[in-house]
Amino acid sequence: MTEVYSGLLSAMRGKIRENAEGELLEMISFFSGKSIEDIRKIRLSAKFDPDLWKDVLTDEIAEKVRRAVKKRCDGVPVQYLTNRAFFFGREFYVDERVLIPRFDTETLVEVALPLADESSEVLDLCCGSGCIGLSLALERRCSVTLADVSEDALDVCRINAEKTGAKNVSFIKHDVFSDGIRGLFDVIVCNPPYISADEMKTLDREVLCEPRLALEAEDGYPFYRLIPKKYFDALKNGGYLIFEVGKGQSDAVSEFCRVAGFETPRIYNDLNNIERVVCARKYWR
């Protein structure tokens, strides 16, 4: 390794508890314009030929990475420094206006995929960056309405629709608590704010860099209490309401759905074996 790379890695490891080198490689990839796969190969090969880093970490690029490393060590998430996050095999644009897509949320997409096809109408409530709804639009070529109370989030959604080439998508500014919704949908997906005010006090500083509007929800359940009742009639008979939920919330959210008139919901675990998704079907009438 060159002295430059060693110094950057040492700075990262001094402040970042997990995946310091992985995040450093991501920043080098972004600022050098090389793929992350190429950077990983260089990192491995540089053990035997340290000069390989010289073609990547030029003075200009190294300085950009240094500035980014300083911000990362101050707590700014790497995704906000590179304006990119990877979700369901695609690259999405992100900035401080939206929540950073998590791999856990891919579980929601995996649950929704078999329930949608080209003829489906899908509503993505609290859409944020649009990663859920746009992934469904791309995978199933279905029509997707992306709805969020934040105009800033919708701007990011539009960027991602263009970036990914998603078709048959529309955008509406929509407040779950005060606005009505037009249309009938086959599937409604929602990853709402679900962190309680008390839990907010325990979050890592990186998470607190993300928009509070997309994270905090009083006791953690306001959206889950309202949506099953309010949007029941916005679903076609036999349609599905699919939530992402926080750890320990699945039973309560399932009960909210049952009380609203849905069939007994199914619960799905994420890759960490945490109950992450609640899927409720509207009774046929």
Side-chain angles (χ1 to χ4, degrees):
M1 297 181 184
T2 65
E3 198 173 297
V4 172
Y5 181 77
S6 297
L8 291 168
L9 183 56
S10 177
M12 287 286 289
R13 284 177 169 165
K15 292 288 186 178
I16 308 302
R17 289 176 295 178
E18 297 179 5
N19 198 31
E21 187 163 20
E23 291 193 3
L24 175 59
L25 295 175
E26 164 65 5
M27 286 187 274
I28 294 172
S29 165
F30 176 75
F31 289 109
S32 69
K34 295 183 179 294
S35 71
I36 188 67
E37 291 79 11
D38 286 343
I39 295 300
R40 286 172 179 153
K41 289 177 183 176
I42 290 170
R43 180 245 179 204
L44 292 173
S45 299
K47 292 180 179 179
F48 308 101
D49 184 3
D51 287 341
L52 288 173
W53 279 121
K54 292 180 180 179
D55 294 331
V56 177
L57 289 171
T58 63
D59 290 344
E60 180 182 0
I61 292 172
E63 183 56 33
K64 290 179 180 178
V65 176
R66 281 193 194 95
R67 289 197 293 266
V69 165
K70 184 179 185 304
K71 291 180 181 179
R72 179 67 189 95
C73 291
D74 287 339
V76 180
V78 65
Q79 293 89 345
Y80 288 161
L81 297 171
T82 62
N83 293 125
R84 68 183 186 185
F86 297 91
F87 182 84
F88 219 76
R90 296 181 178 88
E91 180 182 319
F92 287 82
Y93 174 87
V94 293
D95 60 28
E96 291 83 354
R97 297 175 291 176
V98 294
L99 198 69
I100 297 167
R102 265 70 169 179
F103 290 122
D104 294 341
T105 303
E106 293 186 359
T107 307
L108 194 160
V109 176
E110 290 168 351
V111 171
L113 279 176
L115 309 178
D117 57 30
E118 290 186 14
S119 66
S120 298
E121 296 284 343
V122 176
L123 172 63
D124 183 359
L125 284 175
C126 309
C127 63
S129 67
C131 63
I132 296 170
L134 293 174
S135 293
L136 292 172
L138 291 161
E139 294 290 332
R140 284 294 180 259
R141 299 181 182 177
C142 51
S143 295
V144 176
T145 300
L146 297 130
D148 203 287
V149 69
S150 168
E151 191 63 58
D152 283 339
L154 292 173
D155 284 343
V156 174
C157 258
R158 293 183 183 99
I159 292 170
N160 281 321
E162 183 174 354
K163 181 181 181 68
T164 60
K167 308 297 183 185
N168 298 323
V169 295
S170 58
F171 311 88
I172 57 170
K173 187 174 182 181
H174 179 77
D175 187 333
V176 165
F177 294 96
S178 61
D179 297 338
I181 195 78
R182 293 182 179 180
L184 280 173
F185 301 92
D186 299 281
V187 179
I188 297 176
V189 293
C190 184
N191 179 16
Y194 57 69
I195 299 176
S196 71
D198 288 339
E199 288 175 314
M200 288 290 293
K201 300 172 185 176
T202 69
L203 296 181
D204 291 340
R205 58 178 182 166
E206 289 85 355
V207 179
L208 292 174
C209 288
E210 299 181 67
R212 201 175 191 93
L213 183 66
L215 294 169
E216 186 174 358
E218 298 175 1
D219 67 348
Y221 293 97
F223 288 85
Y224 299 127
R225 288 192 188 95
L226 177 64
I227 289 173
K229 296 183 294 184
K230 182 174 179 179
Y231 293 85
F232 187 86
D233 289 334
L235 273 173
K236 298 176 184 177
N237 289 333
Y240 293 87
L241 173 62
I242 311 173
F243 282 121
E244 174 171 326
V245 299
K247 186 176 182 180
Q249 292 181 317
S250 59
D251 287 344
V253 174
S254 295
E255 183 61 22
F256 294 141
C257 293
R258 282 193 291 267
V259 170
F262 288 87
E263 295 178 6
T264 300
R266 295 188 64 181
I267 298 171
Y268 297 84
N269 292 6
D270 63 21
L271 291 177
N272 293 313
N273 208 32
I274 294 171
E275 294 182 345
R276 184 61 63 189
V277 172
V278 172
C279 179
R281 191 183 190 202
K282 181 176 178 178
Y283 280 106
W284 284 95
R285 290 180 175 176

